Amino acid sequence: MDVFWWVIVPYLCLATFVIGHVWRYRYDKFGWTTRSSQLYENRLLRLGSPLFHFGMLGVVGGHVIGLLVPRSWTDAIGIDDHVYHVVAVVGGLVAGAMALVGMVILIYRRRTVGPVFSATTPMDKVMYAFLGAAIALGMWNTIAGSIFTLGGEYNYREGVSVWYRSFLAFTPDASLMADAPLGFRLHALVAFGLFALWPFTRLVHVFSAPIGYLTRPYIVYRSRDARPGRSTPWSPRV
Ligand code: HEM
């Protein structure tokens, strides 16, 4: 069973992620978009979206450091375990909380603003369920596992992270995950489920680097107003 969960399932998800993106690009190039709903509602989006996206940038950065940088490297440059732990927990909590609050605002908006709800697909709902579960389980690991050490001391840098690197190097060691606490195992599985869904959702927009966006001119929208010069221009991100 360990090989099934920690070798077969993760590689199947990875393969679906890679092949799915190639398929989507070839067959649905023009559907490769965020499917922005900014024209329907702007106030909640302006709050929820940056909170979620900047929070997720921090979460991704934290994962790159926590999963990809071996403990021996931070030891070698003299970062002691306690300092590492405090920085990781505080940074992880701030980033995770921003992502969580942002996501709650975005889901609330999607449910309560009529046109946004109408533009929500079943795939969006599945995606939000996986994303929400991944973030909630990740926060659970940080709070219950790393801060309160419920269920005993566990250093993910010697278990989960080593497994993740062995997985990326195509020499997976399933026993490392089999020994991890349940919260960490569930978190990793839900995250891999999300990776498998990724190419079939609006999350593909992550890979269309909006570099031209930084320099492109504003698109000006004006509301209808009979009196000349009275309408207020605004520029949505499309
Ligand atoms: C889209 C995928 C993922 C999302 C959205 C996600 C989200 C999160 C969040 C919000 C946290 C809380 C602390 C923080 O902000 O860093 C967290 C913690 C954690 N995640 Fe993930 N994660 C994902 C994928 C993964 C994967 C693939 C692994 C490893 C196989 C992983 C391993 C961990 C570990 C070990 C922690 C605990 C860090 C600590 O105790 O401080 N995550 N995750």
Side-chain angles (χ1 to χ4, degrees), residues 52-68:
F52 174 75
H53 284 91
F54 283 114
M56 276 314 290
L57 273 182
V59 169
V60 171
H63 280 68
V64 168
I65 297 171
L67 296 176
L68 298 185

Side-chain angles (χ1 to χ4, degrees), residues 8-205:
I8 297 174
V9 169
Y11 281 120
L12 279 179
C13 293
L14 180 68
T16 312
F17 181 88
V18 175
I19 298 167
H21 276 95
V22 174
W23 172 84
R24 176 93 187 255
Y25 189 74
R26 290 187 63 164
Y27 293 104
D28 185 29
K29 202 181 282 181
F30 296 109
W32 190 288
T33 152
T34 60
R35 298 185 35 254
S36 169
S37 56
Q38 193 185 10
L39 282 172
Y40 303 138
E41 196 279 344
N42 202 26
R43 193 179 56 87
L44 284 169
L45 188 69
R46 243 181 10 209
L47 182 64
S49 181
L51 258 179
F52 174 75
H53 284 91
F54 283 114
M56 276 314 290
L57 273 182
V59 169
V60 171
H63 280 68
V64 168
I65 297 171
L67 296 176
L68 298 185
V69 177
R71 190 177 173 183
S72 55
W73 294 13
T74 45
D75 285 349
I77 55 169
I79 298 178
D80 86 271
D81 245 16
H82 180 68
V83 173
Y84 181 94
H85 181 72
V86 171
V87 173
V89 164
V90 173
L93 279 181
V94 171
M98 280 172 68
L100 187 66
V101 173
M103 193 189 64
V104 168
I105 295 173
L106 292 177
I107 293 176
Y108 170 81
R109 168 180 178 271
R110 225 158 239 290
R111 187 64 197 84
T112 56
V113 179
V116 183
F117 185 52
S118 307
T120 303
T121 64
M123 209 47 182
D124 287 333
K125 293 177 191 164
V126 176
M127 182 272 284
Y128 269 121
F130 272 78
L131 185 63
I135 295 178
L137 285 162
M139 295 291 280
W140 169 258
N141 289 334
T142 302
I143 295 169
S146 298
I147 301 180
F148 293 108
T149 57
L150 296 184
E153 286 278 341
Y154 176 74
N155 188 344
Y156 64 84
R157 298 182 80 201
E158 273 153 16
V160 177
S161 305
V162 184
W163 168 77
Y164 193 66
R165 292 197 296 274
S166 75
F167 166 79
L168 292 180
F170 295 104
T171 52
D173 180 351
S175 67
L176 287 165
M177 277 313 270
D179 292 339
L182 183 64
F184 286 86
R185 281 180 281 150
L186 289 177
H187 176 65
L189 282 179
V190 170
F192 272 89
L194 184 63
F195 294 150
L197 287 172
W198 202 287
F200 315 106
T201 67
R202 60 172 71 218
L203 293 180
V204 291
H205 76 270

